[in-house]
Structures are given as C-alpha cells and as structure tokens.
Amino acid sequence: MSEKIKETTPVKLPPHSVSSEIESGPLPSPLPPERRVGYAIVGLGKLSLGQILPAMAGCKYSKPVALVSGDEKKARKVALQYGIPETGIYNYYNFDDIKNNPEIEVVFIVLPNSMHEEFTIRAARAGKHVLCEKPMATTVAAAQRMIDVCKEGKRKLMIAYRIQYEPNSRLCKKWTREKTYGKVRIITSFHGQNMGDPDQWRLKKDLAGGGSLPDIGIYNLNTARFLLGEEPVGVLASTFSTPGDKRFREVEESVMFQLFFPGGAIANNTCSYSIHANRYYRCHADDGGFFGVDNGFTYGDLQLEVSHVKNNLEWSARPSLGPEKNQFALEIDYMSDCVLHDKTPYTPGEEGLQDQKIMEAIYESARTGKLVKLERITKLDAFRGEEPE
Ligand code: NAD
C-alpha cells in the first residue's frame, strides 16, 4: 500500500551548496487551493490592486474569492484577472449578502479610514472574520465598537500592521528584546511622502481622520511599540502645516512626536506629507551598537543596517536575510493561519485601539504644547496575540 502523503510537509531536495553557504530554508508547502482561506477584498484602490491581490499569488494558505467595489466595471475586470467568479462580485449596498457565500471566510477592508468601522461591523455581522487596514479607525470610540462587535460575534479581528510580520523588523525586534547590541535607549524614525491632489480622501478630515499621523506616522508609532514591546507612558508632540498650502486645509502636514517608554527608552519620530518619500528607523543601543532598517516602512528594497564595536573597531554592515519575502503574503497567510488554527492574531483590534489612543494623545499634546501622560501598562506585548512562527 502506498505511504499516506501529507501535503503540508515540504518536499526535501538534496543541497546544491556546501554547508558553509546560507541555507535557503524549506521549500514552500502550500495548502491545496480548495483548503485555502477565502478572502473578500473590499475597496479596489491602489493598495488592493497594486499589492494585496498580486501578493495573493504568493500565498500558501489564502486565496481571493470575492471583490467589493462601487465600480462594477472595474470589479468585473479585476475578477477576470484573478479568476474570481461573477457570483463573488459585490458592491457597498449588497455587501451584507456575503453572509450567503460560504467561500468567504475573511473580509479584508482596504477602504478610506473612516469607512473601516462600518465595513468591519457589517462583515462581522455577516459571520466573517476581518483583516482591516491601518489605521483601524478614525476615533478611539469607533475602534472600540469594532472590537466589541467582533467579540460579540466571536469573529477574529486583525489589523494589517505588516511591519510586525516583516522579517527584517522581526529580527530588529529580537535584537531589541535580547539586548544583542545593548539596551536600546533611543529609536529615531522617519516617514515622509509628498502628497499631490489636494482633493484626495487622504487630505479630507472626515475620511482620513487626520493627515500624516494616522496614515504614515502610525508606522513610526506602531513600530516603536513593537520593537520594545512596551507601551509609552507619555507623549510630547507638535504639528505643522504650511500656511496657504491647499493640501493642508483640513489635515496636518508634519508631526514630530516623542514617546517615552517605562523602561527608559525614547522614540523620536517625524512624519511628513510634503517631502520626498523617505522611510527608516534606527535603534540606538548603549553597548557599542545600533541597528535599524533603511526603507524600513516600504514594500520592498528594505536594508537592514548594523553597526557595532568589536576588537576596538567599528563594524558597519548591511546584512541581508536573502531574497525578500512579500510582506503582504506573510501578513495575509498569518491571518489565514489564525483562522485555520483558531489563534488570536498577533495584531488584534486591541493593538490598533492602543495606537488610536496614543494618536489622540499626540494631537492633544500638539494642541496644548504639554506632555500628555498615558496609562501605565507594565505587561510586555500587552495587546498582542500569538507570535507568528
Ligand atoms: P485608494 O484611494 O487607492 O483606494 C481606496 C478605495 O476606496 C478606492 O477604490 C475607492 O474607490 C474606494 N472608496 C470607496 N468609497 C470612497 C470614498 N468615499 N472616497 C474615496 N474612496 C472611496 O487608497 P489605498 O491607498 O488603497 O488605501 C486604502 C486603505 O489602505 C487605507 O486605510 C490606507 O491607510 C491603507 N493602506 C495601507 C498600506 C499598508 O502598507 N498597509 C498602504 C497603503 C494604504
């Protein structure tokens, strides 16, 4: 009788190189298509079409099965491109009909920020799990409602903080937690881009919730919390918008904010909507070293950097983890793993709610010019679920 085949165990091939070479890791072992978790993608804008749907091709446990869009023609075209049946096309009005589509297990919300609440709640009430883009909402109250409704319906809610699933940042987190280069005292981080059309939703307060802070500054904020595992106890911030610049009539242009952590570390962050795109972070430690990720918040071309003193010499390097993995595929497959194995997501709604609370404190500090104290939370990784493997 033939041996039972377990499809999730990777095929093993003999090595091509000597053992001193970098091991490329096990071969992919995808689930058969019919057993992968089905996703409905809500909102067919730049992120869905440019990153999320293409990344699905590299997923091992996930597949797109439905699209939700206000533009039927676009949805039909994208459905053809990705092999999604016509029965999997919905609009914002008949969205609730997804409850009758058992192929859909997770709804991935990729809409303007203020729409995340409505579609998370409608998805959970339709019996689906939710993967929601950052920022999860535009207010603390909305974020709390999203968590409550998902809890009530026993649905999983994960916020798409892709940096927390990205290998270079995961290594920096390990170095920070294990004090590999000493204790991290200062994190400096920068996230900038130069906005065009003043009428786009990102520059409208009611749709975006704010300007550069909730859109890109949230990366500085969330990454500092992730690296340290601690929650800030205070924040000092200022915002600036160039007078007369039409792009910043409703939302702020630049934000500078410092986060003070209970273990003594400070994160010094800048985000801006009016400069050439540039995104990095660096962790400065006290035992002869610093490390970080250049291009750290981008989709690709990330460069790990490390500098440390050894044998009375300063060694600076840009080590590579090998060929880059698609961050979106890693994040989406992690959500599928949570659904398949009933795990609490590493970045659940509570993780997004905490960012929302801190962002409100950042705006308060900028408004009042004073340090705003935050609730003292002593537990490490207080809001995170199960660590990705
Ligand atoms: P986008 O403007 O390209 O797409 C938004 C989509 O929402 C469009 O298809 C648009 O038609 C639709 N939409 C529905 N109602 C709308 C309305 N009232 N006004 C404007 N658009 C409306 O935006 P995007 O860049 O795809 O961003 C979508 C979400 O994804 C945002 O929450 C954003 O913060 C998040 N995002 C995350 C990342 C990441 O790396 N995780 C990157 C970019 C964007």
Side-chain angles (χ1 to χ4, degrees), residues 43-48 74 92 109-113 115-116 133-135 160 162 201-202 207 214-215 219 299 328 331:
L44 299 181
K46 199 164 173 210
L47 188 68
S48 293
K74 177 168 64 173
Y92 302 124
I109 296 166
V110 201
L111 288 166
N113 308 340
M115 298 172 76
H116 294 179
E133 264 310 331
K134 46 52 61 182
R162 65 185 158 77
W201 70 261
R202 279 185 164 80
L207 284 165
D215 189 29
Y219 287 87
Y299 304 150
F328 292 92
E331 165 192 88

Side-chain angles (χ1 to χ4, degrees), residues 136-378:
M136 79 182 279
T138 51
T139 63
V140 167
Q144 187 63 61
R145 286 192 290 271
M146 292 160 74
I147 292 171
D148 293 345
V149 172
C150 290
K151 279 237 157 79
E152 237 169 69
K154 298 194 169 48
R155 298 297 84 191
K156 294 182 196 304
L157 171 58
M158 170 169 146
I159 311 306
Y161 286 121
R162 65 185 158 77
I163 306 302
Q164 298 202 34
Y165 303 93
E166 189 284 306
N168 291 283
S169 285
R170 292 197 59 76
L171 183 58
C172 287
K173 173 219 165 201
K174 184 170 181 286
W175 286 342
T176 305
R177 306 289 181 98
E178 292 177 1
K179 301 188 175 58
T180 309
Y181 298 101
K183 179 178 158 53
V184 170
R185 303 261 174 192
I186 306 269
I187 298 174
T188 50
S189 102
F190 191 85
H191 199 162
Q193 61 191 43
N194 205 345
M195 304 305 284
D197 179 8
D199 292 324
Q200 61 183 294
W201 70 261
R202 279 185 164 80
L203 301 172
K204 302 284 165 219
K205 179 103 166 75
D206 61 338
L207 284 165
S212 58
L213 180 63
D215 189 29
I216 55 176
I218 194 168
Y219 287 87
N220 310 66
L221 162 61
N222 189 262
T223 303
R225 293 181 45 239
F226 163 63
L227 293 167
L228 294 162
E230 297 177 21
E231 294 306 327
V233 288
V235 56
L236 188 60
S238 56
T239 59
F240 180 75
S241 299
T242 306
D245 191 324
K246 285 193 185 117
R247 295 173 298 175
F248 309 116
R249 282 179 297 215
E250 297 188 24
V251 300
E252 81 283 351
E253 174 181 346
S254 304
V255 186
M256 269 144 279
F257 61 101
Q258 290 172 337
L259 303 167
F260 302 95
F261 289 88
I266 300 170
N268 201 4
N269 312 283
T270 305
C271 59
S272 177
Y273 255 177
S274 59
I275 47 153
H276 175 58
N278 192 355
R279 301 135 177 153
Y280 62 82
Y281 69 84
R282 192 179 264 188
C283 305
H284 302 267
D286 62 4
D287 199 10
F290 67 78
F291 54 90
V293 189
D294 205 359
N295 283 336
F297 305 132
T298 51
Y299 304 150
D301 198 23
L302 279 71
Q303 291 180 339
L304 191 62
E305 55 162 4
V306 188
S307 191
H308 67 124
V309 173
K310 201 172 151 197
N311 299 335
N312 213 29
L313 289 171
E314 179 96 28
W315 297 81
S316 295
R318 294 209 155 201
S320 162
L321 299 181
E324 257 177 351
K325 299 216 165 83
N326 185 300
Q327 299 170 38
F328 292 92
L330 292 173
E331 165 192 88
I332 295 165
D333 268 348
Y334 173 78
M335 174 71 186
S336 299
D337 185 44
C338 290
V339 170
L340 290 166
H341 301 107
D342 194 21
K343 294 179 181 173
T344 302
Y346 189 59
T347 53
E350 289 79 356
E351 172 77 358
L353 172 65
Q354 177 66 358
D355 276 346
Q356 216 67 51
K357 287 181 180 170
I358 299 169
M359 286 193 290
E360 288 195 1
I362 289 170
Y363 283 129
E364 185 188 334
S365 172
R367 213 170 37 245
T368 59
K370 291 191 175 135
L371 180 112
V372 172
K373 288 190 178 162
L374 293 155
E375 185 190 349
R376 195 175 191 87
I377 293 161
T378 48

